[in-house]
Amino acid sequence: MVQLNADAKGSVQRIEGRDKVTGNAKYAGDLGASSLNIAVDVAVAVMSTQATGRVVSIDDTEVLKSPGARAVMTHANAPRLHTVFATNGAEIGELLPLQSDQLHYAGECIALVIADTIENARAAALQLKVEYSEPNSGAAFTLEQGASRAKDAKSVGAGDKGEVEIGNPEEAFAAAEYKVDMTFESAPHHHNPIEPGAIVAFWDDTGGLTVHLPTQFSYGDAVILGEAFKFSLKDRLPRIVGQVLGGLNFDNKVRVISTLAGGAFGGKNANVYLLLASMAAKLTGRAVKLALTRQQTFSLMPFRGETRQRLRVAADRNGILQAIIQNAVIAQGAAGKYAEPAGENTTKSYACKNMKVHLQVARLDTNAPGWMRGPGACVNQFALETSLDVLAEKLGLDPLEFRLKNHADVEPGTGHEWSSKSLKQCYEAAGRRIGWFDRNPAIGSMRVGRQLVGFGLATSLYPVKQLPAVARIILQKDGHAVVQTAVHEIGQGMITAMTQVAAEKLGLPVAHVHLEWGDTKLPYGSMTVGSMSMLSNGAAIAEAADLVKQSLFKHLVRKRSSPFFGKHRHDLEILNGRVTSTLAGVTESVSEAMSRLDEEIEEESIAGRTMGHSSYGRYAFGAQFAKVLVDPELKVVQVERMIGAFAGGRAINPMLARSQLVGGMIWGIGQALMEESKIDSRSGVWMNRNLGEALVPTHADIADVDAIVIEEDDSRGHRLGVKGLGEIGVVGTAAAIANAIYHATGQRINSLPIRIDRLL
Ligand code: MOS
């Protein structure tokens, strides 16, 4: 087994890193007159203070007298919008902002105050007088209040079935000798990226709309704007993927330019503020910037919704799993289709003949939950991996031994071969590193000083997916290449990784490749979600690179002046920036080769037409081990050590991959111990909507966290051998910590986060 370290081959430093650390990088909130060469007004959002009922009146007299005030936009004067299709199930697919006086949730935007500066806009907004009707009785803001609203989910996430049944789970569970029946809860929690949502929007003289914002899907946002403002038919086409597959260009009057994002994590696309700023710019005829406050992000951006799960798992006396049954209720908002795909991993984790997933959704009177890193899988794995530990204990089996006994050698349910699976190596590598095999497995048996010590483990897995994407490569006369595809840099290292893939496939040094990204003027880049960007856009780049090379070689073997004249083009390759025929022993630099051509070479390629369809089972796998210290009286939990080992195919840039994995694990520590957005059960207002009270892990909370990237080549599944490593780091972390706390204390807390008061 080979382990890649951060200094391993391929670990190119972040291309935009220097700009970021020196403050030269521009985020959407930084944009203004000096960077855009147009005057930019500033808008402030005013939010409803109650969840239901309606806005009876809004008095803006004093606002408009305020210094610098330009306009107030409310449901009374806001541009009317047309229905949009939100590919990610976002709230705006069902609820457009400022179209009526009806309220849907507390913190809904009821007005935008626009002024010349942020200070004036804020001061003016304070003068707005709003009158509300009585709120409706019977509102529900938590799953407890809304229990009666639960109904069977037709589909969740990106279309996973709400109900799956394999074999005879109920009978098998009833008949099994060893069984566990447990319930779990997980609290709502928000993405809380460092950068809140921000956007600059303006309309030009020709009626075109341009927006700058951090987004995970520039084309998706452009189509939404096209639909909302009813541009021509071509602009409105909702099925962008169909457009791409049909080879159509997205040539319209809406342009979305994605800035760098200060974190996105699933929360930045198809956002309400995309429409709000564009509406305000239309209303005022001027450029408008809207940057949310931290408080506003709690209701004007999505979050991970609350879940409740029941897990029943059963085994025979030999420790062979007989049944896995999951029932879950998942919170939805007042509008929006999204629900956590909380059952995605249940039937793919272990070899078991009888399995069932039954998911329900309950609409609450809140803003809409949405995608958030490790969507579904995070809460899914917490329940599954905890209940398996309880079952292992009943069987008298070591938790790892139990999992190995039930290792799925082929994909459960389908019987398909895995494209690759190195889970056993993951258990071994991470377990060895953390000292799992040397621990005393007896509950409460280990101490350091007065602190109780506990070890816990969990399996991680995340599905491998691919979407269609397009890339264009221009090989210039100077031998440098420009790569164009509308991908998005959300902090994960996209610019660097895509540049690397292009350089590798073209045979050029990284420094000779320049990526143009994040702009709907560029070829269609897929949605930057689901750990699949390298699969989607990477494949398009690789194919375009092949076309460029073939085109170059074809020219070279035909040019009399070329040293490759008359050679066979299939014997040519580009290595380290030099066109080479090893067979003929001839070589020249790409720039010399290009100088023989009349013009530059430009090629475009679409990949992923079949959405990465494969007859293999395709998942990335990992194993996470936690070592916790628990104070026996104060019940303060410190994750002293967290080691994960992950096999997600080839890591294009091991340093960036490790950074994603460690980041995910740190977030998992937050999910396990801290993260909880508290909603007032009377008013529906998010109460801890600030970074002082909505706890997230800080430097002091994190001791030793490391990720081991297990080298794996998944070329059976994908031409680049990749499976995706963006999200799997967060999957399983909470379960590993919960299991470690049990080992230390004998206490099972089945509600996330595992707060001190729950342990006391
Ligand atoms: Mo990610 S939650 O798929 O943006």
Side-chain angles (χ1 to χ4, degrees):
M1 180 182 57
V2 185
Q3 291 177 15
L4 293 171
N5 299 311
D7 56 358
K9 185 173 169 287
S11 289
V12 174
Q13 300 232 347
R14 273 177 199 267
I15 289 167
E16 83 289 6
R18 192 180 174 80
D19 278 347
K20 280 182 171 169
V21 298
T22 54
N24 285 325
K26 289 263 183 288
Y27 292 83
D30 299 324
L31 300 178
S34 60
S35 39
L36 298 173
N37 288 320
I38 42 165
V40 179
D41 286 346
V42 181
V44 163
V46 179
M47 308 193 299
S48 67
T49 54
Q50 68 182 50
T52 60
R54 57 187 196 88
V55 174
V56 172
S57 71
I58 298 183
D59 179 356
D60 60 10
T61 323
E62 294 303 317
V63 179
L64 293 169
K65 285 188 208 154
S66 266
R70 298 224 197 271
V72 176
M73 182 170 78
T74 69
H75 68 270
N77 65 345
R80 296 299 100 182
L81 300 178
H82 300 268
T83 308
V84 306
F85 176 80
T87 40
N88 63 350
E91 181 178 296
I92 57 171
E94 293 184 354
L95 172 62
L96 293 163
L98 296 181
Q99 302 297 294
S100 87
D101 60 358
Q102 289 298 319
L103 294 174
H104 305 84
Y105 53 86
E108 183 171 358
C109 181
I110 53 167
L112 226 58
V113 173
I114 302 123
D116 55 348
T117 65
I118 180 73
E119 293 80 7
N120 282 340
R122 281 191 182 162
L126 291 173
Q127 308 296 320
L128 199 71
K129 295 190 182 65
V130 183
E131 227 187 293
Y132 299 95
S133 72
E134 278 296 304
N136 306 341
S137 59
F141 308 115
T142 63
L143 283 181
E144 192 179 349
Q145 292 175 318
S148 65
R149 297 182 179 186
K151 59 180 179 65
D152 290 353
K154 281 201 192 70
S155 78
V156 294
D160 297 352
K161 288 196 181 75
E163 194 156 4
V164 180
E165 188 161 335
I166 298 162
N168 297 303
E170 295 289 353
E171 281 167 43
F173 184 80
E177 200 166 338
Y178 290 85
K179 59 185 97 178
V180 165
D181 183 346
M182 296 174 77
T183 55
F184 299 87
E185 297 170 342
S186 66
H189 55 138
H190 283 74
H191 305 77
N192 275 316
I194 292 176
E195 176 205 35
I199 175 172
V200 178
F202 53 91
W203 295 75
D204 60 38
D205 301 339
T206 68
L209 169 63
T210 301
V211 301
H212 296 258
L213 85 169
T215 177
Q216 296 176 249
F217 194 20
S218 44
Y219 270 85
D221 283 356
V223 170
I224 283 168
L225 292 172
E227 291 177 302
F229 293 101
K230 209 170 174 89
F231 283 86
S232 71
L233 184 66
K234 199 161 69 172
D235 298 311
R236 285 191 294 118
L237 276 179
R239 308 202 186 287
I240 350 180
V241 171
Q243 246 178 308
V244 169
L245 297 181
L248 292 172
N249 278 326
F250 188 80
D251 172 26
N252 72 16
K253 284 187 170 312
V254 182
R255 182 176 182 193
V256 173
I257 301 168
S258 177
T259 52
L260 292 169
F265 310 116
K268 281 181 182 158
N269 75 84
N271 295 91
V272 177
Y273 54 82
L274 171 73
L275 295 171
L276 287 172
S278 304
M279 292 157 76
K282 190 175 174 80
L283 184 76
T284 60
R286 298 170 62 93
V288 170
K289 173 155 83 177
L290 172 63
L292 303 184
T293 62
R294 176 64 54 190
Q295 286 77 3
Q296 291 171 338
T297 64
F298 277 68
S299 57
L300 297 181
M301 292 181 76
F303 62 99
R304 197 192 306 279
E306 190 185 352
T307 68
R308 292 184 161 199
Q309 300 180 64
R310 178 182 180 199
L311 250 289
R312 285 175 288 160
V313 291
D316 66 13
R317 66 178 59 190
N318 299 316
I320 302 302
L321 279 170
Q322 300 300 309
I324 301 176
I325 305 173
Q326 178 193 30
N327 300 82
V329 184
I330 303 155
Q332 285 186 306
K337 285 199 182 0
Y338 179 78
E340 283 281 304
E344 200 161 27
N345 285 353
T346 303
T347 58
K348 299 294 175 188
S349 295
Y350 296 97
C352 182
K353 290 196 166 57
N354 308 293
M355 296 190 281
K356 183 171 153 180
V357 174
H358 178 222
L359 306 177
Q360 294 193 305
V361 288
R363 282 213 180 273
L364 304 178
D365 300 296
T366 68
N367 51 309
W371 297 91
M372 184 158 150
R373 199 180 201 173
C378 270
V379 291
N380 191 171
Q381 218 66 6
F382 169 63
L384 181 62
E385 291 291 312
T386 305
S387 54
L388 287 178
D389 254 39
V390 176
L391 185 55
E393 192 185 7
K394 282 200 174 180
L395 286 157
L397 286 172
D398 176 87
L400 178 52
E401 193 189 337
F402 181 44
R403 284 166 174 83
L404 289 170
K405 263 181 187 287
N406 293 287
H407 181 270
D409 297 330
V410 294
E411 185 182 37
T414 66
H416 292 162
E417 257 184 80
W418 297 106
S419 59
S420 59
K421 181 174 183 178
S422 312
L423 177 58
K424 288 179 182 171
Q425 291 92 317
C426 293
Y427 289 132
E428 179 72 18
R432 218 166 262 300
R433 176 90 80 85
I434 204 161
W436 174 264
F437 304 101
D438 307 320
R439 82 198 195 289
N440 180 345
I443 307 304
S445 64
M446 297 182 74
R447 278 187 190 249
V448 177
R450 53 179 269 122
Q451 308 260 55
L452 294 161
V453 177
F455 286 84
L457 88 90
T459 306
S460 305
L461 61 161
Y462 197 76
V464 178
K465 294 174 180 170
Q466 184 177 350
L467 289 170
V470 185
R472 183 187 300 136
I473 298 180
I474 302 148
L475 185 58
Q476 301 173 156
K477 302 280 285 181
D478 63 0
H480 289 220
V482 174
V483 180
Q484 299 176 325
T485 181
V487 291
H488 313 92
E489 176 61 62
I490 58 173
Q492 80 284 52
M494 176 78 77
I495 298 171
T496 312
M498 290 297 159
T499 305
Q500 276 183 268
V501 164
E504 177 189 304
K505 295 298 166 193
L506 288 166
L508 297 177
V510 169
H512 290 185
V513 177
H514 175 69
L515 179 78
E516 293 179 2
W517 57 277
D519 188 333
T520 51
K521 279 276 180 282
L522 301 172
Y524 177 86
S526 164
M527 216 185 301
T528 300
V529 297
S531 306
M532 59 178 127
S533 294
M534 189 49 76
L535 288 103
S536 306
N537 288 283
I541 289 174
E543 283 182 25
D546 282 349
L547 294 177
V548 163
K549 284 191 292 190
Q550 288 319 311
S551 172
L552 173 64
F553 300 159
K554 210 157 65 185
H555 280 106
L556 293 179
V557 297
R558 286 181 191 158
K559 286 265 182 222
R560 282 187 180 279
S561 61
S562 157
F564 303 101
F565 176 68
K567 305 276 182 287
H568 204 292
R569 65 186 164 98
H570 295 300
D571 296 335
L572 270 53
E573 196 35 274
I574 305 180
L575 300 164
N576 270 322
R578 298 185 69 79
V579 184
T580 304
S581 166
T582 316
L583 213 62
V586 187
T587 171
E588 73 175 354
S589 72
V590 174
S591 57
E592 281 171 301
M594 284 302 293
S595 70
R596 304 180 194 288
L597 271 58
D598 299 329
E599 50 191 30
E600 53 193 26
I601 295 173
E602 180 178 317
E603 297 289 351
E604 193 171 295
S605 181
I606 303 176
R609 287 174 193 273
T610 64
M611 314 286 270
H613 178 78
S614 163
S615 53
Y616 293 110
R618 290 166 78 201
Y619 264 76
F621 293 92
Q624 310 222 22
F625 290 74
K627 180 185 180 190
V628 301
L629 303 179
V630 185
D631 185 292
E633 276 87 39
L634 302 175
K635 302 291 182 182
V636 173
V637 179
Q638 166 86 56
V639 180
E640 193 204 35
R641 208 157 188 225
M642 185 92 208
I643 305 289
F646 302 93
R650 193 182 147 213
I652 298 293
N653 184 319
M655 179 169 63
L656 290 175
R658 180 185 169 279
S659 159
Q660 283 301 298
L661 294 166
V662 167
M665 290 163 77
I666 289 172
W667 202 352
I669 293 174
Q671 185 196 13
L673 302 176
M674 298 169 209
E675 298 200 26
E676 175 169 32
S677 299
K678 280 290 205 186
I679 201 158
D680 182 347
S681 59
R682 297 154 303 176
S683 66
V685 171
W686 292 110
M687 295 191 291
N688 56 343
R689 52 186 196 278
N690 59 74
L691 289 180
E693 294 168 289
L695 303 185
V696 298
T698 64
H699 209 70
D701 299 306
I702 301 306
D704 182 5
V705 178
D706 202 7
I708 302 165
V709 181
I710 302 291
E711 194 175 272
E712 196 179 50
D713 182 356
D714 199 57
S715 42
R716 299 213 298 188
H718 191 270
R719 64 170 291 171
L720 295 174
V722 299
K723 288 205 266 190
L725 286 162
E727 290 168 281
I728 190 172
V730 73
V731 181
T733 312
I737 293 169
N739 288 336
I741 291 173
Y742 176 75
H743 177 226
T745 65
Q747 286 176 280
R748 280 271 169 216
I749 306 298
N750 299 326
S751 295
L752 291 181
I754 304 173
R755 298 188 314 244
I756 292 171
D757 61 287
R758 287 179 166 147
L759 283 162
L760 280 169

